[in-house]
Amino acid sequence: MTTKAYRTFVRLAVFSLSSLFLVSCSDFFDPSTEDQLNGEDYISSTSEMYTGFLGILTKVQAIGDKEILLTEPRGELIEPTEQSNSELIALYNYDDNLQGNSYANPEGYYEVVIACNDYLKKMDDYKDNPNVDREVWSDLIASAMRIKIWVYKTLGEIYGEAVWFDTPIEKVTDISLGEQFQKMDMQELTEHCLSLLTSGYEGTRLDREADWVKMLDPSNVSSPASSEYYYWNSNIPHYPGLLAELLLWKSAYLDAAGEDATAYYKQAADVLLAAVNKYICDQSTSGNPGYWIPSTPISGKYARFWDNTTPYRQESVTAITYNYERNQTNTLLKHFSNEFPNKYLLRPSKAGMARYISTEFNPGTANNHTRYVCTFGNRESATPYIAKFRPVGSTYRSEAYQDDVHIYIYRAMQYHLMIIEALNHLMRFNAMETCLNSGFAAFQPETFETDQTGEYEGFNRNWTKQAEWGNRSYAHAGIRGQYALSARPVKESILELGKERTLRYNDLQILDEVMLEFGCEGKVYPWMNRMAVRYNDPSIVADRVCEKYSDEALAESVRAKIMNGGYWVKYDLGIK
């Protein structure tokens, strides 16, 4: 970008940010997604490619907390409080009719799609302009497409279906079934998203990474963490995570049909291992202990993942960021915090909390263990709350109403648990067990160099204490080893149970670990749904969800609905 173009962009960006983010105080707890982007062409210069993209990011910010607030009341951990509202209670009760329920309504997701389609159309019209910077154009196209694909993946894993469309429209009510608006179930969405993600967009590869520091703050390229745009890089769903998650969904459907999914599990493992290797091997980041790998310092930093004012570098892959000072907010504290002026609408259930300190469910745990004390506040009182988003006495957000906590789309531990899921189905059980439990601290570099079995394909010496750049203090310690927990029991051979029962046994152990690691992050519910699909067995969901209901009649009602396919949220957009 030329100096003149850069200055033009700065002026436009300041205007855009001011108009998009500075909302009234009455709207503080209710981010609006009503602004329509469609209308007069807004892309007429290179700088306006950026400002148009900002419109998409504001739509993403507005739906950042939606998956958490929609799925957690239906999930295994959360219940409504006495102060809760009828809409959240309806989700918790698995009510059959959720029409008009603002939490269940998927319109916010479709508004992101509308914004992406509008932007892509205008970018297509602009691509042959002699002033266009084609590298920047391609980076932004790839970013917009990954956001769109991520939104559809999210719609599918929550609702089990979505209406796909590429046609620019102005509002959600313009969606109508037909040639250009196709309703797809989750299996069809998975296939379509994978096809787009791997084939690209009009010759543009979708694995391109936009570097906002380079584009907007070139003076800080050599020290990107010093730039105010540093965390903009993390707002776009990361290609490896998105690809791997879709591959795991595809594999689950193939497993359910009795077809061979080995190639897709391998592709998922390979792409995730390559992504992790890139960062733990990068000289600019590898000096940081535990960068993108589970390591012993994480135990003391777990709370910092959320209560830092910025995403935690060593754990953050992709995160939706907010800035309270610019009125960029979400409603997580409103719902989960019991400090005024927050509403305390949702809390952890007793059964959900008990799992964290049950030595049967969580071997080697105790009531002072890291994930337990960092996930829950007021644990022994009548008002327990989710403490991830604002621990008592937090020094990072001095006021209880500073509701700008970032929301992770992908965390590093998510990558590792997806690797573990893929390794299980590749029957690379030794590598799976090592990643889940004890880690690689005791491994020697030659282990990977002399491995003839393929067990550790994709791993390298940088996961050990003897890295390429020298001895490292903190090797990969395992998901459970990083918290000094006992090993979770997994099967490392199919001899005892046979292949199918062994894979299922291990999958359920992995799912139980997912429940502990990602409590109240909106990640467990989709993971449970994928397991239910893979084994054609909704009881995988029901067994975990129904434990939280103290009312036996309600528990049986919810179980019956889940067993009848109710693990998908049913909502009719009224599309004709």
Side-chain angles (χ1 to χ4, degrees):
M1 180 187 290
T2 66
T3 302
K4 181 179 179 181
Y6 174 70
R7 288 172 179 166
T8 300
F9 168 74
V10 170
R11 290 195 296 272
L12 284 164
V14 169
F15 173 78
S16 177
L17 288 170
S18 299
S19 61
L20 288 169
F21 296 154
L22 298 180
V23 297
S24 67
C25 293
S26 63
D27 294 330
F28 180 81
F29 281 135
D30 301 296
S32 173
T33 59
E34 295 176 357
D35 294 335
Q36 299 301 324
L37 292 181
N38 206 31
E40 303 225 352
D41 287 350
Y42 53 75
I43 295 181
S44 59
S45 68
T46 299
S47 57
E48 289 184 6
M49 291 196 301
Y50 299 102
T51 55
F53 192 81
L54 290 178
I56 297 175
L57 291 184
T58 62
K59 300 290 185 181
V60 171
Q61 284 181 318
I63 53 95
D65 57 9
K66 188 170 184 66
E67 187 169 19
I68 294 173
L69 300 176
L70 170 56
T71 66
E72 290 295 338
R74 295 167 60 88
E76 84 299 347
L77 179 62
I78 298 299
E79 65 183 15
T81 67
E82 291 75 14
Q83 295 93 275
S84 196
N85 58 53
S86 59
E87 291 188 328
L88 290 169
I89 293 170
L91 294 176
Y92 175 75
N93 290 344
Y94 275 67
D95 281 5
D96 294 318
N97 184 4
L98 294 174
Q99 293 309 115
N101 187 306
S102 62
Y103 294 92
N105 191 332
E107 285 191 4
Y109 289 116
Y110 284 109
E111 287 174 0
V112 179
V113 173
I114 290 170
C116 289
N117 287 346
D118 186 66
Y119 182 75
L120 291 166
K121 173 63 169 62
K122 289 184 168 63
M123 289 286 278
D124 281 345
D125 294 342
Y126 182 56
K127 66 182 177 183
D128 295 324
N129 187 300
N131 295 321
V132 71
D133 184 326
R134 287 307 295 263
E135 289 298 305
V136 171
W137 185 93
S138 296
D139 288 346
L140 294 175
I141 284 287
S143 297
M145 280 299 297
R146 289 212 305 279
I147 288 174
K148 180 178 176 178
I149 291 168
W150 168 73
V151 166
Y152 271 114
K153 186 270 305 180
T154 303
L155 279 166
E157 64 190 9
I158 296 173
Y159 298 93
E161 62 181 17
V163 177
W164 188 284
F165 59 98
D166 301 310
T167 304
I169 60 176
E170 291 193 20
K171 51 189 181 297
V172 175
T173 52
D174 291 337
I175 300 173
S176 59
L177 294 182
E179 183 179 348
Q180 296 177 317
F181 299 87
Q182 301 177 47
K183 181 176 283 189
M184 301 180 183
D185 62 24
M186 182 53 180
Q187 186 171 10
E188 293 169 320
L189 283 169
T190 298
E191 294 289 351
H192 195 57
C193 288
L194 274 172
S195 176
L196 288 172
L197 196 61
T198 54
S199 62
Y201 181 88
E202 296 190 0
T204 298
R205 292 173 57 95
L206 299 192
D207 59 354
R208 296 179 67 100
E209 295 290 342
D211 187 339
W212 288 89
V213 176
K214 181 178 179 181
M215 290 190 295
L216 305 184
D217 192 9
S219 63
N220 271 316
V221 166
S222 60
S223 54
S226 303
S227 174
E228 64 177 302
Y229 301 104
Y230 178 73
Y231 286 101
W232 287 32
N233 290 341
S234 74
N235 276 260
I236 315 303
H238 196 222
Y239 181 88
L242 187 55
L243 175 59
E245 198 169 15
L246 287 166
L247 287 167
L248 290 176
W249 273 104
K250 178 181 176 71
S251 300
Y253 279 106
L254 289 174
D255 287 340
E259 300 178 30
D260 184 12
T262 302
Y264 302 105
Y265 283 118
K266 185 178 187 307
Q267 189 180 356
D270 288 348
V271 72
L272 289 170
L273 285 166
V276 173
N277 286 339
K278 175 182 176 181
Y279 285 92
I280 65 173
C281 298
D282 187 333
Q283 290 293 326
S284 66
T285 60
S286 57
N288 293 307
Y291 199 90
W292 273 34
I293 58 173
S295 61
T296 50
I298 293 298
S299 184
K301 301 294 184 182
Y302 190 75
R304 303 291 82 79
F305 293 176
W306 297 275
D307 68 3
N308 254 341
T309 53
T310 55
Y312 193 71
R313 279 192 70 195
Q314 290 156 274
E315 176 67 7
S316 177
V317 179
T318 301
I320 303 170
T321 55
Y322 300 82
N323 187 326
Y324 171 75
E325 293 179 352
R326 294 178 178 170
N327 288 330
Q328 301 170 33
T329 65
N330 56 61
T331 67
L332 292 182
L333 290 188
K334 172 188 175 182
H335 285 81
F336 294 112
S337 172
N338 59 6
E339 297 175 273
F340 181 82
N342 298 308
K343 305 301 183 184
Y344 190 51
L345 304 176
L346 297 168
R347 68 186 173 205
S349 67
K350 289 182 179 179
M353 293 175 65
R355 291 192 187 104
Y356 283 73
I357 53 174
S358 164
T359 54
E360 180 178 354
F361 189 89
N362 189 14
T365 190
N367 61 7
N368 63 347
H369 220 278
T370 298
R371 288 187 296 198
Y372 180 62
V373 299
C374 291
T375 301
F376 308 113
N378 292 0
R379 292 175 293 279
E380 309 301 325
S381 75
T383 57
Y385 67 95
I386 294 296
K388 281 183 173 179
F389 309 125
R390 180 170 164 76
V392 170
S394 172
T395 58
Y396 296 90
R397 291 179 175 83
S398 58
E399 302 296 339
Y401 53 79
Q402 291 179 317
D403 209 343
D404 60 355
V405 62
H406 41 272
I407 297 170
Y408 291 107
I409 294 177
Y410 291 114
R411 291 209 274 126
M413 294 308 106
Q414 204 170 343
Y415 274 25
H416 286 273
L417 279 157
M418 286 196 288
I419 290 170
I420 290 166
E421 182 178 337
L423 291 175
N424 179 44
H425 288 272
L426 293 170
M427 293 193 291
R428 292 163 60 180
F429 298 133
N430 290 334
M432 175 200 70
E433 194 279 335
T434 301
C435 290
L436 177 63
N437 288 322
S438 57
F440 292 85
F443 277 58
Q444 299 300 314
E446 53 267 24
T447 302
F448 308 105
E449 298 162 6
T450 60
D451 176 33
Q452 300 295 313
T453 65
E455 187 76 31
Y456 295 103
E457 180 182 351
F459 295 87
N460 60 47
R461 65 183 299 166
N462 297 312
W463 295 55
T464 75
K465 285 191 172 183
Q466 300 178 50
E468 293 173 5
W469 59 87
N471 291 338
R472 64 184 306 165
S473 300
Y474 303 105
H476 183 293
I479 297 290
R480 295 186 62 76
Q482 68 183 332
Y483 302 116
L485 291 167
S486 301
R488 182 173 289 283
V490 292
K491 304 297 182 183
E492 297 181 61
S493 167
I494 64 173
L495 294 179
E496 178 186 354
L497 301 177
K499 179 180 176 180
E500 184 173 344
R501 290 176 61 199
T502 298
L503 297 179
R504 179 186 172 111
Y505 179 91
N506 288 344
D507 261 348
L508 298 187
Q509 289 290 333
I510 294 165
L511 179 56
D512 289 348
E513 194 65 30
V514 166
M515 289 163 59
L516 297 173
E517 180 65 30
F518 302 115
C520 205
E521 295 181 46
K523 303 183 185 306
V524 177
Y525 188 84
W527 218 303
M528 288 195 296
N529 285 355
R530 184 164 69 247
M531 296 291 187
V533 164
R534 177 177 291 138
Y535 295 103
N536 289 305
D537 187 1
S539 71
I540 292 172
V541 179
D543 289 348
R544 286 157 177 77
V545 167
C546 292
E547 284 187 10
K548 73 181 183 182
Y549 296 95
S550 56
D551 184 310
E552 291 186 11
L554 179 56
E556 285 306 310
S557 172
V558 170
R559 175 175 290 276
K561 291 175 181 178
I562 292 174
M563 294 303 294
N564 196 36
Y567 52 90
W568 304 120
V569 175
K570 299 300 181 183
Y571 195 95
D572 185 359
L573 270 177
I575 299 169
K576 297 180 181 179

